[in-house]
Amino acid sequence: MFVSLLLAAGSGLTLIDNLGQITLSLGYTDSSIYVSMISIWNFLGRVGGGYFSEIIVRDFAYPRPVAMAVVQVIMAIGLFYYAVGLPGQIYVTTVLVGLGYGAHWAILPAAASELFGLKNFGALYNFLTMANPAGSLIFSEVIASGIYDHYAKEQAALRHRDSASMLIKPLRDDDSLSCVGTVCYSITCGILSGLCIVAAALSLIVVYRTRRVYTQLYGSRG
């Protein structure tokens, strides 16, 4: 559950943290609109994720981590949509990733309390939430920033080459690098999409290992 959360929620938080730069790279001048959008969908995901997971466990007696696997696949679809550069990518991605990321924080506490009880719930829950910033730190620094800087340097080099001198001038350390276009984050989103699929597979492993627990808790219902 910890690794699944690290991969999926870490991917979602990475997108949220870099959303301002993503929108600027696509040519939008006001990134606050999209930050507000993903915040709204994040909230709705927390509310909807709770109702969705309750339907799964109470009506069908399926393990609650099934809901986590579903929202992780939804996040993967949203990130993949951006990666392939389809029309309206920023809108589709913010909706799906916002919903999926928010749903984690409605599903996870309930699943943890059902599987491990309430005796040490405070410590357990805080341990699980550590996966969120840990995943964001790794993915933002290693993946997102590295790929963005790579393409920013390539574009800066091309701008220098197309100057009057037709020479590629070396970049100084204090030069401001900026990347423009879908390419700045398409590879990053493709990688994060794959990580969300891995997270969904891990959630399904948890489903397989806990199915008897949920059958005992909620009974077998058709």
Side-chain angles (χ1 to χ4, degrees):
M1 289 178 67
F2 180 86
V3 177
S4 176
L5 186 66
L6 185 147
L7 296 176
S11 296
L13 190 57
T14 297
L15 184 87
I16 294 171
D17 289 344
N18 292 278
L19 189 59
Q21 200 169 53
I22 292 173
T23 54
L24 292 176
S25 69
L26 294 176
Y28 298 100
T29 56
D30 188 1
S31 60
S32 62
I33 296 174
Y34 305 97
V35 174
S36 298
M37 281 178 55
I38 202 168
S39 297
I40 293 170
W41 291 111
N42 178 11
F43 166 75
L44 294 176
R46 293 173 189 249
V47 176
Y51 282 111
F52 175 57
S53 66
E54 286 299 315
I55 292 172
I56 286 177
V57 297
R58 296 192 180 277
D59 293 353
F60 301 100
Y62 291 156
R64 198 179 295 269
V66 167
M68 283 188 63
V70 171
V71 299
Q72 286 162 353
V73 170
I74 290 173
M75 289 180 64
I77 293 172
L79 290 163
F80 183 76
Y81 194 95
Y82 186 97
V84 296
L86 295 176
Q89 57 190 162
I90 190 64
Y91 301 101
V92 174
T93 302
T94 52
V95 170
L96 297 184
V97 174
L99 283 172
Y101 174 79
H104 277 82
W105 305 110
I107 301 168
L108 179 72
S113 66
E114 290 165 339
L115 295 175
F116 303 103
L118 298 176
K119 183 177 180 181
N120 298 308
F121 177 75
L124 177 65
Y125 177 71
N126 282 289
F127 169 75
L128 289 171
T129 56
M130 283 170 42
N132 190 41
S136 174
L137 179 64
I138 296 170
F139 303 150
S140 288
E141 292 297 325
V142 177
I143 299 177
S145 296
I147 294 175
Y148 181 91
D149 289 345
H150 170 75
Y151 284 108
K153 289 178 181 178
E154 279 193 352
Q155 292 179 3
L158 288 173
R159 287 194 294 270
H160 283 304
R161 188 182 64 186
D162 294 337
S163 62
S165 62
M166 296 301 293
L167 295 174
I168 300 178
K169 300 178 182 179
L171 294 174
R172 301 190 304 273
D173 291 337
D174 59 347
D175 281 341
S176 178
L177 295 174
S178 60
C179 181
V180 178
T182 303
V183 69
C184 305
Y185 282 95
S186 59
I187 295 177
T188 297
C189 287
I191 294 172
L192 296 180
S193 176
L195 293 177
C196 287
I197 293 296
V198 174
L202 293 175
S203 294
L204 291 177
I205 293 175
V206 177
V207 169
Y208 176 77
R209 298 185 64 180
T210 60
R211 64 193 188 283
R212 292 182 180 178
V213 176
Y214 279 91
T215 299
Q216 293 174 356
L217 287 173
Y218 296 100
S220 180
R221 303 175 186 178

